[in-house]
Structures are given as C-alpha cells and as structure tokens.
C-alpha cells in the first residue's frame, strides 16, 4: 500500500534531512537511450560502489543518491516488493523506448518523455499514434517516483497504474486492450525470454507495467546549484538568484503551493488547485454541468479518454472526484528541472517562465472555482527577472547545457508577454479582494506589501 504523503513527511521529520551529501551522477548515456537499444541502464544505482554506502543510506535504497535526494525519501516512495532490481530496470528501459508497444509501431513512452530532453517532448500537447494530438502537456518522468499520484489530475495512484493507461489510450499508443498488448509482446522472442527469466512466467500486463515503473524509479534527480547553496555553498547562487529565492518565499508567495524544505524537496504540495488557466477558454459552470452528466465515477478508462481526447479535459481533478471544489484544478507540479519542461501548465499554454510569473502576478484568471490562495502580487519587472533566475537554479547539473539553451530561448521571448497585465498586478484596476496586511489602502497598495516588497 502506498504511504500517504503526510505520513511520509512525518517520518522524514523523524529521520534524516533530505539534503544529504552524495556524489554527482554521471551524464546520461545517449547511446543507451536510443529507441530499441538494449544497453545497460546508467543510473546511480547501477554505478554504486559495493560497500561504500552514502551517509544515512537506507536498506534497499541505492547506495549513491544525488545531492537533494534523501535515501529515506527514496525508500518511503518505493512500495515494498517494487524495488527496481537491475534486471527489471534494464527490461523496463527497453520497453520504455520501444515503439512496438503502440498499435502501429510508431510511438513509445519516450516519444512524449524524451530522456535527452529531461523526459518531456517540448510540445504544447503531446502527439500520439496517427499523428493525433492530445489535450495535455507531457509532464517529466524525473522524480515522478516521489509523486503521491500521477498525471495532471492524479488519476493514477502509482507508476505501475500510470504506465498502463497511455498504451491503451486511443490517441496516445492506441492498443485496443491489455490482451492485445500482451499477445504482441509475447510474440517477440527477446521479451518472451526476458519475462520468463525475470518474472518466471509468460508476459503479463501487470509485469510489463512493473518493469517500466522499475526503470522510472531510477530517474530521480537532484544535484542542482540550489542544492549546493542549501548545503552551504553560498557562491552557488548569485545575488539576483538569492533575491529570487527570497521573493519565492515572500512577496511572490510561490512557496504557498511549491513548498520546498528539508522535509519536502520537490517544490510541490502535491495538491490540486484551480489557478484559472483553463478559464481563458471555458465557461466552467456550463462545462461542469455537462461533466456531471458525462463522468462515471470510478471508470478509469473513461476518465483517461476524457482527459486526453475531449474538452472535458479542462475539468481537471473533477474528472476523478466529481467534487465541485476540484473543477478546473490540476496538480501542483514539481519545480525541480522546471527550466527543461516548457511550455508550461496542463495545456502547455504558457511558453516561458516569464509568462507563468505574469499569470500569477495578476492573480490568475477569474472563475467561480479559482483557488482562494490566488491573489495579485504586485511584482515589478526586475523582481520577475530575479524569480525566473532562481527557478533556473533548480536544474540538475546533468542537464546544465540544456538549461542554458532554454534560458536563452525563453529570455529571447521576453518582449512577447500576452499574460502581462501590470495595471492588474499592481492593483490599479480590477477587484480581486486582495489580502491587505495594511488596512490603510489609501496610503499603500496591499499588493506592494510583504517581506520583500518594494519601498
């Protein structure tokens, strides 16, 4: 049984800190990640030196973990009996890269989760078999093992459950049934032999997803410049990046949902919030009325297809719970490696982190289900620059070159800011019901107040 996040965090509080020192992981081996290539997987686990456990290592956890990834967190995130053995990881990696899992041999897991790109595809929304376009942006696999639920709406509880759905979705990989997948894989001699050797039986759909999940559980990521800063290297961040970190926890209020500390190193509360992204294009009230009639509670297949194929995708978490408070709500994404995962939001509608900051700065987009924590921030342009600079420090050193390319690309778009509304952000128009720490509104705009407000 998966441990609830709250219990996990309590155990972390009682155990070691999450910021344990560990050697740097090696760069990804591009040759080993080519589709169809059955190369040995390159993971910290595989590279561990026997008998040289890192400080605080937990039984069953890899002996070497990157800075910022706790052995305690790793152990608690892996269900008992689902530990990724080298044999399962190698098989899972091969399946992850193999387009033969799709109905027409054209799409693999790695088509939307490209290892060399930080396990995303860089597209607004992902494209599946027969060049069909889905309705959701592809989230990264990096650190997905630590998520309390999978997908933007949390409709899968485990990596194993998550791995099964895209293979059967008509748009993504298009297989008609688990039986069809198993029949196809059993007919491939190398897989038939591998499953017999590792699982002691013919291919099953459960074992197939188990192997893919084992590979994904080796894709943990830390070792960012921010981790070195937290560990005591004050020179790891520049002045503007440190100011961005202060804004993150202060005036910008990012930490309200993107919590990050020794107990929660993922920069996510793992909850679901309506921040108004889908309100650009939807009448939520009307859509919700229709959704109530359409959604069958507990029907995993229907929820998956509605999320990927229809306009009901914008209902978000509501598809899973049918609770009104979840209308238009999507999971808070981890900010680790956020530099690599553009475009942003569940629909990929925001091309850069500057656009993301503009969205939050004006208090999101009004709709009846907007999260109560959304309010305009009053951030100045230099403050937004500093916040974005800080976010880029969360990139794993393995992807430093890719992060620099993303920074240059996003910075080049600074002049194109469709979400920017300075008058709204500064409280000069609109009425969002700001939480005013200063009751004298005639003296100072409440949006300007805060621990890091401008004088």
């Amino acid at each position: 049984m998966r441990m609830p996040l709250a219990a996990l965090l309590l155990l972390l509080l009682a155990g070691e800190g999450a910021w344990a020192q560990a050697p740097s992981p090696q760069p990804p081996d591009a040759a080993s990640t080519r589709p169809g290539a059955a190369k040995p997987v390159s993971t910290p686990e595989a590279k561990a030196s026997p008998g040289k456990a890192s400080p605080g290592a937990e039984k069953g956890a890899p002996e070497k973990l990157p800075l910022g990834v706790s052995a305690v967190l790793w152990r608690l995130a892996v269900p008992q009996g689902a530990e990724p053995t080298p044999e399962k990881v190698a098989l899972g990696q091969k399946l992850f890269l193999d387009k033969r899992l799709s109905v027409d041999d054209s799409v693999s897991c790695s088509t939307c989760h490209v290892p060399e790109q930080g396990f995303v595809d860089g597209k607004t929304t992902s494209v599946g078999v027969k060049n069909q376009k889905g309705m959701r942006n592809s989230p990264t696999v990096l650190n997905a093992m630590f998520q309390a639920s999978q997908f933007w709406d949390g409709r899968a509880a485990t990596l194993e459950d998550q791995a099964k759905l895209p293979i059967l979705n008509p748009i993504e990989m298009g297989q008609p049934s688990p039986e069809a997948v198993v029949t196809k894989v059993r007919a491939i001699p190398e897989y038939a032999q591998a499953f017999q050797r590792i699982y002691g039986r013919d291919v099953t759909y459960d074992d197939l997803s188990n192997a893919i999940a084992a590979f994904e559980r080796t894709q943990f990521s830390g070792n960012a410049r921010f981790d070195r800063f937290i560990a005591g290297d004050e020179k790891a961040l520049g002045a503007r990046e440190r100011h961005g970190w202060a804004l993150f926890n202060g005036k910008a209020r990012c930490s309200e949902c993107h919590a990050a500390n020794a107990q929660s190193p993922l920069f996510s509360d793992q909850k679901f919030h309506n921040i108004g992204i889908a309100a650009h294009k939807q009448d939520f009230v009307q859509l919700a009325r229709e959704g109530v009639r359409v959604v069958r509670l507990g029907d995993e297949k229907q929820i998956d297809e509605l999320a990927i194929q229809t306009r009901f995708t914008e209902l978000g978490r509501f598809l899973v719970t049918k609770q009104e408070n979840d209308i238009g709500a999507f999971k808070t994404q981890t900010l680790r490696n956020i530099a690599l995962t553009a475009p942003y939001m569940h629909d990929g509608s925001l091309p850069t982190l500057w656009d993301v900051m503009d969205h939050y700065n004006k208090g999101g987009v009004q709709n009846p289900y907007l999260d109560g924590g959304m309010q305009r921030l009053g951030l100045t342009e230099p403050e937004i620059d500093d916040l974005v600079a800080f976010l880029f420090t969360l990139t794993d050193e393995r992807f430093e070159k890719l992060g620099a390319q993303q920074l240059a690309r996003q910075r080049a778009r600074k002049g194109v800011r469709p979400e920017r509304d300075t008058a709204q952000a500064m409280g000069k128009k609109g009425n969002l019901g700001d939480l005013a720490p200063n009751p004298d509104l005639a003296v100072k705009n409440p949006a300007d107040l805060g621990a890091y407000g401008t004088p």
Side-chain angles (χ1 to χ4, degrees), residues 394-405:
L394 299 174
T395 307
D396 188 313
E397 288 183 350
R398 290 177 296 170
F399 299 102
E400 190 171 349
K401 182 178 179 180
L402 185 59
Q405 292 171 349

Side-chain angles (χ1 to χ4, degrees), residues 65-78:
L65 288 165
L67 189 64
V69 177
S70 161
V72 175
L73 177 63
W74 188 96
R75 180 177 60 80
L76 294 175
V78 178

Side-chain angles (χ1 to χ4, degrees), residues 103-234:
V103 70
D104 60 0
D105 299 348
S106 65
V107 173
S108 70
C109 304
S110 64
T111 299
C112 302
H113 304 282
V114 185
E116 295 84 355
Q117 295 179 209
F119 288 89
V120 296
D121 58 12
K123 295 181 170 63
T124 302
T125 57
S126 293
V127 177
V129 293
K130 302 175 184 176
N131 209 31
Q132 299 177 93
K133 194 172 184 179
M135 304 290 282
R136 297 272 175 92
N137 177 262
S138 173
T140 181
V141 172
L142 292 172
N143 289 331
M145 64 173 290
F146 300 125
Q147 298 282 347
S149 63
Q150 304 296 323
F151 294 118
W152 282 95
D153 51 19
R155 64 186 182 277
T158 67
L159 289 174
E160 284 82 358
D161 291 342
Q162 186 280 328
K164 291 177 178 178
L165 291 176
I167 298 174
L168 304 178
N169 186 282
I171 282 185
E172 294 180 296
M173 297 173 78
Q175 289 283 11
S177 67
E179 292 75 22
V181 182
V182 169
T183 299
K184 186 174 182 180
V185 175
R186 279 180 181 173
I188 302 173
E190 56 190 300
Y191 281 132
Q193 295 167 11
F195 276 89
Q196 282 289 352
R197 183 176 68 255
I198 296 170
Y199 292 97
R201 53 183 176 248
D202 289 338
V203 181
T204 71
Y205 203 47
D206 285 342
D207 289 344
L208 184 146
S209 66
N210 177 274
I212 293 175
F215 167 66
E216 292 179 332
R217 287 195 176 96
T218 65
Q219 303 309 314
F220 40 78
S221 173
N223 215 33
R225 283 199 290 128
F226 173 78
D227 295 310
R228 298 209 313 271
F229 176 71
I230 290 296
D233 180 2
E234 294 186 1

Side-chain angles (χ1 to χ4, degrees), residues 239-245 247 352-355 357-358 361 379-393 407 410-411 413-415 417 420:
R240 302 201 67 173
E241 293 162 342
R242 290 198 301 273
H243 185 226
W245 172 229
L247 288 164
T352 73
L353 288 171
W354 275 274
D355 297 313
M357 293 312 307
D358 285 343
N361 202 22
L379 297 168
T380 65
E381 199 60 19
E383 288 172 335
I384 290 177
D385 288 343
D386 290 354
L387 276 159
V388 172
F390 162 68
L391 293 173
F392 272 85
T393 71
L407 178 58
Q410 295 192 26
R411 185 177 283 154
R413 287 182 54 97
K414 270 191 64 178
R417 305 274 289 274
R420 185 178 185 179

Side-chain angles (χ1 to χ4, degrees), residues 248-324:
F248 185 93
N249 293 294
K251 182 180 178 182
R253 305 175 66 246
C254 308
S255 58
E256 293 289 320
C257 296
H258 293 282
N261 49 47
Q263 291 77 45
S264 179
L266 299 180
F267 291 83
S268 169
D269 62 3
Q270 308 219 37
K271 296 179 181 177
F272 301 86
H273 304 276
N274 179 325
I275 60 171
I277 288 294
H280 282 292
K281 52 198 173 189
Q282 296 287 339
D283 179 342
F284 270 134
V285 176
Q286 178 61 33
L287 189 67
R289 287 174 181 157
E290 296 179 40
V292 168
R293 294 194 295 269
V294 171
V295 179
R296 301 188 297 269
L297 190 62
D299 189 329
E300 186 179 65
K301 185 175 186 296
Q302 187 207 24
I303 292 171
D304 188 69
E305 293 183 359
L306 290 173
I308 301 300
Q309 299 168 234
T310 75
R311 63 193 177 94
F312 292 108
T313 185
E314 305 295 7
L315 291 175
R317 181 67 173 167
F318 174 82
L319 293 176
V320 180
T321 67
K322 288 186 74 175
Q323 298 296 312
E324 186 175 359

Side-chain angles (χ1 to χ4, degrees), residues 313-394:
T313 185
E314 305 295 7
L315 291 175
R317 181 67 173 167
F318 174 82
L319 293 176
V320 180
T321 67
K322 288 186 74 175
Q323 298 296 312
E324 186 175 359
N325 287 345
D326 287 327
I327 290 174
F330 293 88
K331 187 166 66 175
T332 306
Q333 294 297 295
T334 176
L335 296 185
R336 285 195 170 270
N337 300 301
I338 193 67
L340 312 176
T341 61
Y344 302 105
M345 305 299 177
H346 72 278
D347 57 359
S349 60
L350 303 183
T352 73
L353 288 171
W354 275 274
D355 297 313
V356 173
M357 293 312 307
D358 285 343
H359 173 80
Y360 285 112
N361 202 22
K362 64 182 180 182
V365 177
Q366 286 292 287
N367 70 88
Y369 309 102
L370 187 68
D371 189 284
M374 294 292 290
Q375 65 178 81
R376 52 192 171 193
L377 302 172
L379 297 168
T380 65
E381 199 60 19
E383 288 172 335
I384 290 177
D385 288 343
D386 290 354
L387 276 159
V388 172
F390 162 68
L391 293 173
F392 272 85
T393 71
L394 299 174

